[in-house]
Amino acid sequence: ENVNVSGQEVDDDDDESVEGLSWNVGVLEPPERPEDLFRHRFPSKVGGKPAWLDPVHLPPPAHLQCPLSNRSLRFLMQVYAPLDNLNPDAFHRTIYVFISPQGN
């Protein structure tokens, strides 16, 4: 059974697909070994604490604060997203996602 985000059943032959658009869907799995989440292994992960690429130069506290509520943002996830065709010294890249505790 195929279900859309609103919980309604959808038909595979439905013409609502966007031509040329592809989707990659992943599932969460626990790491095979706890050390797989160490920062030098460039993990993608959900929850816990960020595994900063550079633990010496962390974002300032003001960057991790909700501008509307002034409360600390909560770490949601990080995704390792290397860049292929840029400066070789700047290959590694991780996208960090934080959320506001009040949903602002």
Side-chain angles (χ1 to χ4, degrees):
E1 176 179 320
N2 292 320
V3 179
N4 67 14
V5 270
S6 63
Q8 299 172 341
E9 189 173 334
V10 293
D11 183 3
D12 282 340
D13 297 327
D14 201 354
D15 289 330
E16 292 184 34
S17 64
V18 178
E19 191 168 325
L21 183 65
S22 64
W23 297 88
N24 291 324
V25 178
V27 295
L28 296 175
E29 295 179 354
E32 290 181 21
R33 299 175 314 266
E35 57 270 16
D36 289 341
L37 296 179
F38 292 166
R39 68 171 186 81
H40 66 277
R41 295 191 183 252
F42 312 111
S44 291
K45 63 183 218 143
V46 175
K49 294 183 179 184
W52 299 107
L53 284 178
D54 183 357
V56 175
H57 299 100
L58 298 177
H63 288 182
L64 300 175
Q65 191 172 32
C66 175
L68 298 174
S69 68
N70 292 322
R71 295 179 66 188
S72 293
L73 295 173
R74 293 187 182 153
F75 174 70
L76 177 64
M77 64 193 243
Q78 69 185 63
V79 178
Y80 181 61
L83 298 172
D84 292 333
N85 48 355
L86 290 181
N87 179 343
D89 294 329
F91 172 78
H92 297 295
R93 176 179 73 161
T94 297
I95 299 169
Y96 299 92
V97 179
F98 292 84
I99 58 172
S100 173
Q102 294 181 319
N104 296 338

